[in-house]
Amino acid sequence: MIALKQEAFALIESIPDDRKDVLVNLVNNLREALGIKSQSRAEKNLAIMDEIKGIIGDDTGWTNEEEMITELAEMRRQRLNS
């Protein structure tokens, strides 16, 4: 049994960072097989982010997070000054 667990961990370690979807599917399948229904807060947040990305796609209007934060801060300043 220990060898099988080690093999499973080795397979998990080999999942590329850009293939988060594979790891999420694996964890969900393990939970289903074990009858575990709970989701961690991080997993719920990732699911929400995936849903949002599915809705808006890559059309965010900003080139990076800094640009987004700068624009939102400026909009807030303008509202407060009005």
Side-chain angles (χ1 to χ4, degrees):
M1 185 65 154
I2 292 174
L4 186 58
K5 286 181 182 179
Q6 289 174 337
E7 183 180 354
F9 287 129
L11 285 171
I12 291 169
E13 289 282 329
S14 71
I15 297 172
D17 289 341
D18 62 338
R19 293 301 313 268
K20 172 186 67 132
D21 59 315
V22 173
L23 184 57
V24 169
N25 286 335
L26 177 63
V27 170
N28 289 338
N29 289 336
L30 281 171
R31 281 199 173 114
E32 186 177 324
L34 296 172
I36 301 170
K37 299 293 181 191
S38 66
Q39 270 188 321
S40 72
R41 184 181 196 131
E43 288 170 328
K44 288 178 186 176
N45 289 342
L46 287 173
I48 291 169
M49 292 301 292
D50 285 342
E51 187 176 332
I52 290 170
K53 186 168 180 140
I55 293 170
I56 65 170
D58 291 327
D59 186 23
T60 59
W62 301 285
T63 56
N64 57 40
E65 289 179 7
E66 274 186 44
E67 186 178 322
M68 176 191 69
I69 292 168
T70 302
E71 184 177 326
L72 293 174
E74 182 60 34
M75 286 172 48
R76 185 173 184 201
R77 277 189 222 104
Q78 289 175 357
R79 269 195 335 201
L80 292 174
N81 291 334
S82 298

